[in-house]
Amino acid sequence: MTTTFARPESLQDVVTHYCPGCTHGVIHRLVAEVLDELGVRERTVGVAPVGCSVLAYNYFNTDFLESPHGRAPALATGFKRIRPDMIVFTYQGDGDLASIGMSEIIHAANRGEKFTTIFVNNAIYGMTGGQMAPTTLSGQVATTCPLGRDTAKTGMPIRMCELLSGLVTPSYLERVAVHNPQQIIRTKKAIRRAFQYQIENKCFSLVEVLSTCPTNWGKTPAESTNWVEANLKSYFPLGVYKTPEEVK
Amino acid sequence: MAKILMKGNEAIAEAAVRAGALYYFAYPITPQNEVGEYLAKRLPEVGGVFLQAESEVAVGNMLFGAASTGKRVFTTSSSPGISLMQESISYMAGAQLPVVLLNIMRGGPGLGGILPAQSDYFQATKGGGHGDYRLLVLAPSTIQEAVDLTMQAFYLADKYRNPVMIIGDGMIGQMMEPVEFPDEHTEPPLPAKTWAATGASERRPLVVKSLFLDPIALEKNNIVLHQKYEMMKRDEIRYECYKTNPKNKILLVAYGTMARICQTAIDELETEGISVGLFRPISCFPFPESQLYAEATKPNIETVLTVEMSMGQMVEDVERVVARQRPVKFFGRTGGIVPSPEEVIDQIKQLLAAGTPAKAKA
């Protein structure tokens, strides 16, 4: 009998703590499949954030560093500068990357650090219980904006791919989503491309993945995927924002 | 090797390179900028890494990532910059990562000033960041000693898998003195760094972390750290006595630059026939408790005078150790003012004359 579907070697055979309907599991799997296919698992070091994916190191079958909140790009910089032969990726949520860690991600990207960032954007703080994120949509309800986000007081949701693509240093920036099978396939291609650029020592690479948070959105998993399609995707357009080929 | 005349900051930079610390991450801040400027040129020559970070917050976390490779890494900064690194220092202590940090202290609090001070003693020796942890803290008083302690610091960081902080001040960083670098750095061999993240090729994946969600596991980590600090207290005490003898009625206690000034005061008093001794902690954590107690409680000693470039910080350790066996007095200047030997002499003479308490000057 031929095996057609198996657990990637880059994932451990464990149950995750993620909520039902959350797409962290899908994104973990895509990263793991790419590491397997590129044959780099044994020289990969991940950097875990603070937030829902704080325990990512329990699920990936690679070495990991556990970072303070938002500082994963600085840890990755320190590591990669000394071990350019290793494959380094950070896995960060929207609070981690776009709020407390904004400075670290901008400067790492601007220096063209040769690591890969997987940026999981679900427009809310998950682990701490549903507070407003810098990416929370206008009018979206969160525990710290119970009447809906008032952008007159809190500013507009931050679009990270657009913001980072304003930097001159060559980078690979793409926004994808994982709310349906077609997008999942596209996401895997983007993640593969990001790691490929790193293997070729070309550029800093960041893949922003629109994700779900049924628990804190107060929606069923099915409603959540619909909400990504109807709301998240329209404010955060999918697509390639920058490639190293564009910058000569 | 012949002695060469070097500025303190540059001598420390060269000492680090010779100790095999080829990876340096930092952010400019006065009065220690010569370290980074020297290393920006020197490290590429020896295949090392110099990276100027966007902030001290980033520096601390670059150190975390860099130390996770198992290589010798370090940074240098000054008081406000060290404050910004406290987050990562706590994390590195929790994750048991060996790093060396140099604090060329300046006057504070806040932005303070850029002149020499010793007002970060509490921060260095008592914590600074959150959680139960300690740094191994070394305080040189000459540039030669700064060179020697810098080289030792990397070995000690590896030995204990713990951040080590060297506390100097603007004076140590900015003055020039002849120094000699040892031709070879010989220390006992260290165990292999099996904790370093080098890729899970021939072993199971490992995690460098300070997160222990299970309270039993977190307490266990704190106990492991505590045992390490107890080992430091047993094995890493460093201090020096200067002209301590049975005629002395007063024992001075001072460290770093302040100790040098006290030595000058002691030498001048000697010409007047007045004999005073100095106890100089070199390791501020672990603090040389029993050694200081032994000197301070000798029958001839009537008063212990602690002298610092602060409003009084190490004096609390001195009071704790001397534990009401002798009166402990304090004299200090701060704000970047370095007390003169004459001011110290004046304090000593006042104490000898009437036994009147020395007063801290504002």
Side-chain angles (χ1 to χ4, degrees):
Chain A
M1 202 170 79
T2 313
T3 303
T4 55
F5 193 78
R7 179 179 52 82
E9 197 190 352
S10 295
L11 274 191
Q12 301 200 30
D13 188 9
V14 292
V15 175
T16 73
H17 72 285
Y18 297 118
C19 299
C22 164
T23 45
H24 264 307
V26 175
I27 303 164
H28 278 23
R29 187 181 166 97
L30 296 179
V31 172
E33 285 179 359
V34 166
L35 295 178
D36 278 14
E37 289 166 19
L38 296 172
V40 294
R41 181 191 76 82
E42 293 183 346
R43 60 182 177 110
T44 293
V45 173
V47 186
V50 172
C52 286
S53 45
V54 67
L55 298 176
Y57 53 74
N58 284 340
Y59 311 139
F60 283 98
N61 194 17
T62 66
D63 281 359
F64 247 86
L65 316 181
E66 171 54 49
S67 157
H69 206 166
R71 319 289 178 227
L75 268 76
T77 298
F79 193 96
K80 184 79 182 187
R81 286 278 177 140
I82 298 181
R83 291 295 307 268
D85 56 316
M86 301 278 286
I87 300 302
V88 180
F89 75 95
T90 71
Y91 190 101
Q92 303 177 256
D94 41 62
D96 196 78
L97 182 135
S99 190
I100 197 168
M102 179 65 101
S103 170
E104 281 75 15
I105 195 64
I106 288 179
H107 286 278
N110 190 55
R111 286 190 302 263
E113 299 294 344
K114 307 293 189 293
F115 64 80
T116 300
T117 292
I118 307 298
F119 168 39
V120 181
N121 179 4
N122 61 9
I124 203 155
Y125 281 27
M127 182 65 102
T128 46
Q131 295 84 7
M132 188 186 81
T135 50
T136 294
L137 296 183
S138 177
Q140 185 184 337
V141 171
T143 60
T144 49
C145 47
L147 302 177
R149 179 173 183 169
D150 179 355
T151 53
K153 290 177 182 165
T154 63
M156 291 295 285
I158 297 175
R159 295 175 170 136
M160 285 308 299
C161 278
E162 288 84 338
L163 192 152
L164 291 173
S165 63
L167 300 174
V168 176
T169 311
S171 297
Y172 170 57
L173 304 167
E174 182 166 358
R175 183 181 289 126
V176 291
V178 285
H179 62 293
N180 65 42
Q182 185 194 25
Q183 295 301 334
I184 288 172
I185 290 164
R186 283 190 185 165
T187 298
K188 184 171 171 185
K189 280 184 186 157
I191 291 172
R192 191 182 165 99
R193 199 171 164 191
F195 278 97
Q196 190 63 45
Y197 281 132
Q198 183 180 168
I199 290 166
E200 292 165 9
N201 205 31
K202 274 209 174 113
C203 65
F204 168 81
S205 52
L206 178 142
V207 179
E208 176 175 345
V209 187
L210 300 185
S211 184
T212 57
C213 186
T215 300
N216 288 304
W217 288 354
K219 301 183 191 313
T220 66
E223 287 166 355
S224 295
T225 52
N226 291 339
W227 196 78
V228 172
E229 181 65 37
N231 298 292
L232 215 48
K233 226 177 82 177
S234 53
Y235 186 80
F236 295 110
L238 306 185
V240 176
Y241 282 81
K242 199 161 193 182
T243 67
E245 289 80 14
E246 291 167 12
V247 183
K248 296 293 176 196
Chain B
M1 192 184 153
K3 284 195 172 182
I4 46 175
L5 187 66
M6 282 186 94
K7 197 172 197 176
N9 283 331
E10 293 177 345
I12 289 168
E14 181 60 27
V17 174
R18 290 178 188 235
L22 305 185
Y23 309 100
Y24 175 80
F25 302 84
Y27 187 80
I29 182 168
T30 307
Q32 58 78 55
N33 289 318
E34 293 83 1
V35 183
E37 288 164 357
Y38 183 91
L39 291 170
K41 184 167 177 292
R42 182 80 168 96
L43 284 172
E45 292 171 359
V46 291
V49 170
F50 165 89
L51 182 61
Q52 181 174 317
E54 66 269 30
S55 70
E56 286 93 347
V57 175
V59 167
N61 291 287
M62 285 175 185
L63 290 178
F64 188 117
S68 301
T69 64
K71 304 288 187 190
R72 285 187 169 174
V73 303
F74 76 117
T75 193
T76 62
S77 190
S78 182
S79 308
I82 294 288
S83 292
L84 282 171
M85 290 181 204
Q86 292 304 326
E87 170 194 65
S88 57
I89 293 171
S90 165
Y91 277 71
M92 290 188 286
Q96 299 201 65
L97 284 171
V99 294
V100 172
L101 307 107
L102 168 74
N103 182 3
I104 293 292
M105 295 182 279
R106 62 189 237 184
L111 208 43
I114 58 168
L115 292 171
Q118 294 181 319
S119 44
D120 302 344
Y121 179 91
F122 285 153
Q123 186 191 51
T125 62
K126 310 295 181 193
H130 58 281
D132 272 334
Y133 78 92
R134 296 286 189 152
L135 306 179
L136 213 157
V137 182
L138 304 171
S141 72
T142 65
I143 297 179
Q144 182 64 56
E145 193 177 32
V147 164
D148 297 340
L149 289 179
T150 298
M151 297 186 79
Q152 285 175 36
F154 288 98
Y155 179 80
L156 293 170
D158 278 343
K159 180 180 173 186
Y160 290 96
R161 284 183 58 191
N162 203 70
V164 175
M165 184 175 282
I166 299 166
I167 48 171
D169 57 64
M171 195 78 110
I172 293 278
Q174 294 295 325
M175 68 184 172
M176 293 181 87
E177 281 184 325
V179 290
E180 194 171 9
F181 294 95
D183 288 332
E184 213 172 306
H185 187 55
T186 50
E187 297 279 7
L190 290 160
K193 293 179 173 179
T194 53
W195 49 266
T198 52
S201 56
E202 286 162 4
R203 54 160 170 75
R204 290 180 54 76
L206 61 76
V207 186
V208 182
K209 63 167 181 150
S210 60
L211 177 68
F212 300 89
L213 286 175
D214 172 7
I216 301 293
L218 180 55
E219 186 181 53
K220 198 174 153 193
N221 192 51
N222 274 300
I223 290 168
V224 166
L225 297 179
H226 180 74
Q227 286 167 345
K228 202 162 71 170
Y229 308 142
E230 291 301 306
M231 274 173 63
M232 290 175 190
K233 286 181 185 173
R234 194 189 67 199
D235 297 338
E236 304 303 340
I237 297 289
R238 288 165 166 75
Y239 68 100
E240 190 179 70
C241 289
Y242 184 74
K243 296 191 178 174
T244 47
N245 69 55
K247 287 189 294 179
N248 298 342
K249 290 180 179 172
I250 289 174
L251 179 70
L252 296 181
V253 187
Y255 69 97
T257 293
M258 200 58 242
R260 287 180 75 143
I261 292 156
C262 286
Q263 286 179 3
T264 304
I266 288 168
D267 292 346
E268 285 183 23
L269 283 168
E270 200 174 32
T271 63
E272 298 177 34
I274 300 169
S275 175
V276 175
L278 167 74
F279 185 93
R280 176 170 76 94
I282 299 171
S283 57
C284 290
F285 182 87
F287 194 73
E289 296 176 3
S290 56
Q291 294 80 1
L292 172 59
Y293 185 84
E295 286 298 329
T297 56
K298 282 185 174 163
N300 50 302
I301 298 294
E302 292 171 2
T303 308
V304 175
L305 175 63
T306 305
V307 193
E308 298 177 64
M309 283 146 58
S310 80
M311 292 305 289
Q313 298 196 11
M314 183 184 70
V315 64
E316 293 190 9
D317 276 337
V318 177
E319 284 169 341
R320 179 172 60 81
V321 165
V322 175
R324 301 178 196 277
Q325 298 296 309
R326 295 289 184 280
V328 174
K329 307 294 181 189
F330 174 74
F331 172 66
R333 301 286 310 262
T334 184
I337 297 167
V338 180
S340 66
E342 290 68 33
E343 282 177 283
V344 178
I345 288 168
D346 184 51
Q347 293 293 317
I348 292 167
K349 284 185 174 172
Q350 280 184 39
L351 284 174
L352 287 171
T356 46
K359 281 180 190 166
K361 282 191 183 175

